[in-house]
Every structure is written in C-alpha cells, then in structure tokens.
Amino acid sequence: MNSSTNSAAQYKAKDAAMDILRTTKQQALSDDQVAVALDAHGDQTAIALEKEQRIAENRATYDDLLRYAELILANDAVADLYRNRFGTVTLNEYQDLTPQQLRVLARIGEGRITFAGDLAQGIYEFAGASPSQIDAIVRAAAEDVIEFNESHRSSPAVLGLVNSLNPITGGQCLQCADPASWPNGGLAALATFSTAYTEAASVTRLARRILGRAPNHRVGVISRVKSRLRFIDAAVEAARPAASPLGRRRPRHRHREAGPRTPAAPRRRRAHNQ
C-alpha cells in the first residue's frame, strides 16, 4: 500500500470518526456519558480524537458548546433568565437547524419564535441538519404559516428549472414577480458532466462564445461549493490567450444570480476647502 493510499484511508477514518463524535454530541449527554457512548461504539479514532482534543488539550469543540448549552438550559431557572431577556426570537434559514439547535432555541423562546426558511436551500445536512424533520416540527407548532412563492430576482426560465427540482429539494413552486422585465422570459439550460474537468471545459467554451458576441459583457459563474471553482479557474487560465475574448476580460465568479441591470447610483463627491 503506497503513501497516497494510506493518506486516503487515514482521511476516511478520521472523517468517519468526526461523524461519530458529532452525532454523539448532538445529544444531551454529559462528558462522562459521551465517553461511555464512544466506548460502546468502539471506534478507536473517535475515542483518540476525544481524548486528544477535548480532554488532553482541555478545550471544547463546536459540538461541545451546543451540548453544554442544551445541558445548561435544561435548568428551568437558567432558561427563565434567557426567556426574560429576549421577548421574541427571529430565526432565518431554519431548514439548516439540527434537532439539537432547535431544542436549544425552544428552551429560550418557545412560543415566541418566528421561523423563516426554504427547504430547497438546505445545505447543512452534512453537519447534522434535518430539513424535513425540522420543517414538520416547526409547522406543527406554528400558529400561522405564510408562504412566499414570488421571486424578484430570477427569470421565468430559471424558475422553471428550479421548480423541476422540487421533488428532490422539497421546495415549493415559484413564480416570477415581474416576467415582463425579462426579454423572452430569460434563458436557462441544464447540463450534466461526468467530472469537474469536463464541466470546467464546457463552462469555458460557453464563456468564450458569449464574450465573442458581446465582448463588453461579463460572465458570472455561480457555484454552490467554492472549492469547485478551482477547476474553472484553471480551465479559464489555460484557454485565454491575449487575442481571445477571454483574454480581454476574465470571467468573474459571482455567488448570486445576475438580474436585469439597473442604473448605477450617482457617486457622492466630497468638497475640500482649498
């Protein structure tokens, strides 16, 4: 077994151990109970990480902080201090909550929490978030549910693609708030690729075609995961000789969808005494 194979195996083992630590600590367990639960699980990497990080270095991980918060707030007197401090609690992106985080929030503001979110935008399931479970709990406890289904930033064409994914994402059907502002309803397309390299090559070819027809425009590349952009960066760099459209203006990466352009606000000038 070579060094690269060993490294991959070690990384996989550590990743699995971190998952075990996370799921164990997302319960209201004391330090001693965590140790017992890890021993029962039997994963030596997880046990070693707990001993090296929390015990030997005397420090708390992010999962420990939430665990301690839940244990502390189990005391009614402590929870009352926070309830009296905060009249209301407003939470955005509730679909990214873990059950533990929801339990902590409930101890602080149960009956006074306003939740806002979208199941289709859940991105933290890898960290223990459970969008469907949290949504069911929140809806069952809510006095009023207000649904928003108008989009003010996407074209009808883009929303058509988004809506087609609803069976997978759990999102609701969205409508464009001002379809007349998008010529021909906008433009959207869907493509799948076998590797990140072929995806990057396709994006680069499309950018070249767009800039060849409209050299004064910009091309925005949106990625859900920032690290994935490195493949596109490399492909763009390799494909932009000085005489090409890509050489005149390098495509920029944006993490928001571009809508119709609006006039720029006038700049303020500061007067200086001579």
Side-chain angles (χ1 to χ4, degrees), residues 251-265:
R252 295 189 178 185
H253 303 310
R254 299 273 182 183
H255 291 281
R256 62 180 179 83
E257 183 179 357
R261 300 189 67 175
T262 57

Side-chain angles (χ1 to χ4, degrees), residues 104-122:
V104 169
L105 284 168
R107 292 293 291 169
I108 295 174
E110 188 170 13
R112 297 174 295 172
I113 306 176
T114 299
F115 295 92
D118 180 0
L119 287 182
Q121 295 187 47

Side-chain angles (χ1 to χ4, degrees), residues 167-214:
I168 299 173
T169 63
Q172 61 176 308
C173 186
L174 300 176
Q175 298 178 352
C176 180
D178 187 11
S181 66
W182 298 89
N184 300 317
L187 181 65
L190 178 66
T192 59
F193 304 93
S194 57
T195 69
Y197 296 101
T198 56
E199 179 185 60
S202 178
V203 169
T204 303
R205 287 194 299 270
L206 179 59
R208 186 191 297 277
R209 289 183 61 185
I210 293 172
L211 294 177
R213 293 172 176 265

